[in-house]
Amino acid sequence: MLIIPAIDLKDGKCVRLKQGDMAQATVFSEDPPAMARHWLDQGAKRLHVVDLNGAQAGKPRNEAVIRRIVGAAGDMPVQLGGGIRDLDIIERYLDDGVSYVIIGTAAVKTPGFLHDACGAFPGHVMVALDARDGKVAVEGWSKMTRHEVIDLAKKFEDYGVEAIIYTDIGRDGMLTGVNIEATVRLARELSVPVIASGGITDLKDIEALRAVASEGIIGAITGRALYQGTLDFAQALALAQAGGA
């Protein structure tokens, strides 16, 4: 199972939000490329990057620093989300060296775009589904929809997405523990892999996820827990890889 460190970008800096609130941003690093090198040196096998300004604006806002992050990451794959709304942007990011693009709100609001993206860039498109109580949220979690997360995930699986990133938005950035039950419920309904996100706090969460990895959960994204020190990356990595999981 992958342990995927997160770099969330706001105004060119590495931050973490509480429950997606841009007004509650804590700056953890003023040098995101150096942070990417740090995680590479620590043994990370993948990096999760989000352009928070881009997600808010609906178009890229931190592209220059993203290029530098990709350069600093070396051979470590980078998965990127935030403000990806058209095929030209996807092509540009892939040309910049990004391995996977993550489509969130646009997947829900304009599924035709997601369908086209999966067709144009097979193997490179993931979907982020953010949910509370089984219902999908969009636009930085500011709007709840009536869509059931499992129903949408199955639809997007048929489009050919590479993976589903599932976040319980009631827990993200709150260090309250990952929602194992909801994550497993989703993974069992899909044949594409699920990456868990939101609420990971300590080694107990990693152990809990590792125990259900065989259900189709290939990784866990974590940010605040790493930056605040409640989760040690080296220990999390060793635990995630124990027993070949």
Side-chain angles (χ1 to χ4, degrees):
M1 190 177 76
L2 296 166
I3 304 297
I4 309 172
I7 294 180
D8 289 359
L9 298 170
K10 180 174 183 282
D11 306 330
K13 299 172 183 177
C14 175
V15 306
R16 285 302 286 170
L17 308 183
K18 282 190 176 180
Q19 295 186 305
D21 186 352
M22 289 284 273
Q24 294 193 66
T26 304
V27 176
F28 286 109
S29 173
E30 308 239 346
D31 189 347
M35 188 58 65
R37 283 191 296 273
H38 168 75
W39 295 126
L40 177 65
D41 292 343
Q42 291 286 306
K45 302 293 189 235
R46 189 180 297 184
L47 190 64
H48 179 80
V49 179
V50 180
D51 180 352
L52 294 172
N53 302 108
Q56 198 170 51
K59 54 188 174 183
R61 281 287 186 257
N62 286 282
E63 194 169 356
V65 73
I66 288 165
R67 284 197 200 99
R68 292 171 53 219
I69 288 171
V70 171
D75 293 333
M76 176 173 57
V78 173
Q79 57 187 50
L80 171 71
I84 297 173
R85 301 284 194 275
D86 64 59
L87 298 181
D88 288 341
I89 290 171
I90 295 175
E91 185 171 26
R92 204 162 74 216
Y93 276 138
L94 293 178
D95 286 345
D96 286 342
V98 170
S99 296
Y100 307 100
V101 294
I102 302 163
I103 301 173
T105 294
V108 181
K109 298 184 78 173
T110 53
F113 162 58
L114 176 66
H115 188 273
D116 291 345
C118 289
F121 308 104
H124 295 284
V125 179
M126 298 180 176
V127 167
L129 288 178
D130 307 328
R132 179 183 283 123
D133 300 326
K135 302 289 187 181
V136 174
V138 295
E139 294 181 18
W141 309 345
S142 62
K143 295 183 180 178
M144 296 301 299
T145 72
R146 295 181 180 178
H147 296 295
E148 294 283 344
V149 66
I150 289 175
D151 292 343
L152 268 187
K154 285 183 172 180
K155 177 180 176 181
F156 297 157
E157 177 179 63
D158 289 341
Y159 288 178
V161 298
E162 181 69 12
I164 300 288
I165 298 172
Y166 174 70
T167 304
D168 183 322
I169 63 176
R171 303 194 185 203
D172 185 75
M174 301 302 289
L175 300 180
T176 53
V178 70
N179 191 332
I180 296 290
E181 296 79 11
T183 306
V184 169
R185 197 177 309 125
L186 177 62
R188 282 177 175 165
E189 295 288 336
L190 303 174
S191 58
V192 296
V194 170
I195 298 173
S197 175
I200 291 169
T201 308
D202 53 30
L203 288 174
K204 290 179 183 177
D205 292 311
I206 303 303
E207 173 58 38
L209 283 169
R210 190 183 72 86
V212 295
S214 60
E215 302 284 359
I217 300 165
I218 64 162
I221 296 166
T222 177
R224 182 174 290 273
L226 292 176
Y227 296 116
Q228 290 192 182
T230 64
L231 181 68
D232 178 270
F233 182 79
Q235 291 179 337
L237 189 64
L239 182 59
Q241 294 176 345

